[in-house]
Amino acid sequence: MRTPALRPGGGRCRIRPSAQADTGAGRNGVGISIGLVGLGAFGSEFAPLFKSHPLVDRVALCDREPERVKRFAQAPTFQEKVRPSDLYASLDEICAADLDALVIITQPWLHAPQAIRAMESGKRVYSAVPVIWLPDGEEVLEWCDKVTRASRRTGMSYMLGETTYYRPQAMYCRRKAREGAFGDFTYAEGEYFHPHDWPPADLRKVKKSREASAAGQEWLAIQAGYDARGIRQTPMTYPTHSTSGPMTVMRAHAVRAAAFGWKTRSTDPYFGDYRFTNVSALYRMSNGSQMRICEHRELAYPSGDLFEHETFRIFGTTGTFRENRWADKDRWETLTTAKMRDPLPPDVAEAFRRECGETGMYGGHGGSHAYLVHEFVDAVAHDRQPAINAWEAARYMAAGIAAERSALRDGETQDVADWGDAPS
Ligand SMILES: NC(=O)c1ccc[n+]([C@@H]2O[C@H](COP(=O)([O-])OP(=O)(O)OC[C@H]3O[C@@H](n4cnc5c(N)ncnc54)[C@H](O)[C@@H]3O)[C@@H](O)[C@H]2O)c1
């Protein structure tokens, strides 16, 4: 098994067993109230970070599964910011509460309608990725349209919690791009190689775990409807881990797409849901460059490799970034995680460290969780569009759907849908 030279990121942030003095509440008098909707596997990793952010004064908890709410409501570290009256069993109930924002980390087929419902109730919204996952890419595109419209109509901001956006590599490359160090961008690659049976996140087990709740069970009937209509997924309906890296660094979006798919030869019933298990796409970008994107679910990959299965490379006329290395015309420089990362504000870093410990303070997925939480909380507190707003998020999604369309038509080139830049 190959061990990567660098494994950026850190451990997960877990709920702490005992209370310590929380000195962080309310910074500069602009503290906000936030509701956490969905306290399953992934939501549980974010709850301690949202709770401990110094700009968050009050936290409400919501899940349809009462024991998932209880776990946090009873945690000593949550007592200071969670009121007994702020425990909710449904999205409708929490939407009626007087909160500034909702963090939606529910199952992926629920995100977009729930985000719209929350914005319509006057809440800013953070949504786990993707904007929505459904087997039908055309429907996914319709929801992107609805989410951008709802954000504009209600004046409520929307942020997609795309982890690649805050991987250290993305932060570093954005800085280099701002300096102009890449020169003209010529070509970029983004890829998400996630073997379905990859031990760190076995997709079969993930599926089972997401179905092990009332909301999960409801999906089975909906899935049966897609099956009856012969609609089967491709991995391009959830493309944000691969498309976001090149797009955020180059500040460019996909314009035309051509893609091909790999049709499984496996008789494994798990793949029965898939039209293609792997799709590879090539794009013309709005800055004139090309971007190659892979979303692959059927491949061999070592279980210890937590970085290179989800990565990007960027090439320019004067600078190149790949595999944690920066190159100009003269030399390569190997970069450490600390060098690539942006600093967090000191009080935020200190609050996360106190809550999650030194190794857990940045959270999972390359240590991106801490930055996602900070960006959303800060955007809500200062009433601004977050970095990964509805319009940016729609671009990450639309690139995938255009690739799916092309792959289903044997590589015929397709226009990529676009809703433009976020209104300022
Ligand atoms: N790299 C990444 O960004 C990344 C990684 C893992 C998961 N995710 C995303 O996180 C999301 C959650 O995944 P998970 O594994 O935690 O799922 P999960 O099934 O463990 O948790 C979802 C929770 O949402 C709750 N829920 C559903 N509808 C609700 C409602 N109307 N009101 C209140 N609660 C409701 C469920 O009861 C459940 O507890 C997924 O959409 C997934 O795409 C993203």
Side-chain angles (χ1 to χ4, degrees), residues 123 144 195 204 206 215 225 256 287 333 371 379 423:
K123 315 284 190 290
C144 290
R204 251 190 270 251
V206 169
R256 290 279 288 174
N287 63 355
E333 179 191 358
Y371 291 89

Side-chain angles (χ1 to χ4, degrees), residues 75-401:
T77 49
F78 276 66
Q79 301 307 310
E80 190 175 358
K81 293 188 185 178
V82 177
R83 304 173 183 169
S85 57
D86 264 343
L87 309 180
Y88 301 93
S90 74
L91 183 70
D92 281 343
E93 284 174 38
I94 200 167
C95 281
D98 63 331
L99 296 161
D100 295 314
L102 294 186
V103 172
I104 295 174
I105 311 190
T106 56
Q107 285 95 332
W109 55 87
L110 298 169
H111 296 167
Q114 291 184 340
I116 292 169
R117 169 88 183 81
M119 287 188 274
E120 283 173 345
S121 75
K123 315 284 190 290
R124 277 79 152 199
V125 170
Y126 173 103
S127 165
V129 285
V131 171
I132 192 165
W133 171 82
L134 292 167
D136 183 348
E138 302 305 320
E139 251 184 280
V140 169
L141 220 47
E142 283 166 23
W143 280 109
C144 290
D145 182 56
K146 289 179 191 169
V147 167
T148 51
R149 281 173 194 274
S151 184
R152 191 188 292 275
R153 184 176 67 248
T154 60
M156 293 293 115
S157 58
Y158 167 99
M159 172 167 161
L160 186 73
E162 175 41 57
T163 44
T164 295
Y165 191 97
Y166 285 110
R167 283 184 177 269
Q169 294 78 7
M171 297 189 227
Y172 177 81
C173 285
R174 278 196 294 269
R175 292 202 301 273
K176 295 302 269 187
R178 278 198 297 272
E179 290 166 16
F182 282 99
D184 291 325
F185 292 108
T186 57
Y187 174 72
E189 297 175 342
E191 61 216 25
Y192 187 54
F193 293 141
H194 190 149
H196 74 290
D197 53 0
W198 193 53
D202 185 318
L203 293 176
R204 251 190 270 251
K205 290 185 188 155
V206 169
K207 185 171 187 284
K208 265 212 172 87
S209 143
R210 293 201 181 133
E211 287 168 6
S213 59
Q217 286 298 301
E218 286 162 12
W219 169 253
L220 300 179
I222 304 167
Q223 169 80 58
Y226 286 102
D227 293 345
R229 284 177 282 145
I231 296 171
R232 287 178 299 142
Q233 63 169 310
T234 81
M236 281 291 183
T237 48
Y238 182 170
T240 55
H241 298 323
S242 58
T243 56
S244 59
M247 288 168 74
T248 159
V249 172
M250 299 197 294
R251 294 179 66 86
H253 58 276
V255 177
R256 290 279 288 174
F260 293 96
W262 162 258
K263 217 173 192 152
T264 187
R265 292 172 188 170
S266 165
T267 52
D268 183 338
Y270 175 80
F271 290 130
D273 287 350
Y274 279 89
R275 178 78 58 125
F276 296 119
T277 46
N278 301 341
V279 177
S280 307
L282 188 65
Y283 299 87
R284 188 172 76 229
M285 302 297 286
S286 58
N287 63 355
S289 71
Q290 295 117 42
M291 172 172 81
R292 186 275 282 153
I293 293 293
C294 291
E295 283 287 340
H296 293 191
R297 302 291 176 270
E298 200 182 0
L299 71 160
Y301 224 76
S303 66
D305 195 335
L306 291 174
F307 162 54
E308 286 178 8
H309 74 118
E310 184 174 351
T311 192
F312 60 81
R313 302 172 197 90
I314 315 272
F315 300 83
T317 51
T318 59
T320 295
F321 177 86
R322 55 181 303 173
E323 280 86 31
N324 287 345
R325 288 184 302 159
W326 170 261
D328 56 28
K329 295 209 184 232
D330 300 320
R331 63 184 189 99
W332 286 99
E333 179 191 358
T334 300
L335 303 159
T336 61
T337 297
K339 179 153 188 181
M340 289 190 284
R341 242 179 210 148
D342 290 340
L344 282 167
D347 60 336
V348 175
E350 182 46 33
F352 290 166
R353 187 175 292 111
R354 208 179 317 116
E355 184 70 21
C356 307
E358 190 67 40
T359 51
M361 63 175 279
Y362 290 104
H365 295 94
S368 58
H369 295 187
Y371 291 89
L372 287 167
V373 168
H374 174 61
E375 170 61 11
F376 181 62
V377 170
D378 191 75
V380 172
H382 298 104
D383 200 18
R384 64 170 173 82
Q385 282 285 1
I388 323 169
N389 54 62
W391 289 264
E392 180 78 4
R395 283 175 163 165
Y396 302 163
M397 298 294 293
I401 306 311

Side-chain angles (χ1 to χ4, degrees), residues 25-87:
R27 199 170 55 166
N28 304 330
V30 286
I32 63 164
S33 55
I34 213 158
L36 307 181
V37 184
L39 294 164
F42 203 48
S44 294
E45 292 187 28
F46 279 84
L49 288 168
F50 276 112
K51 191 276 297 177
S52 61
H53 193 290
L55 283 174
V56 173
D57 284 348
R58 177 181 153 212
V59 175
L61 303 170
C62 175
D63 199 293
R64 288 178 62 182
E65 305 298 319
E67 79 285 358
R68 298 184 186 183
V69 171
K70 210 164 134 192
R71 188 167 155 249
F72 287 99
Q74 292 181 344
T77 49
F78 276 66
Q79 301 307 310
E80 190 175 358
K81 293 188 185 178
V82 177
R83 304 173 183 169
S85 57
D86 264 343
L87 309 180

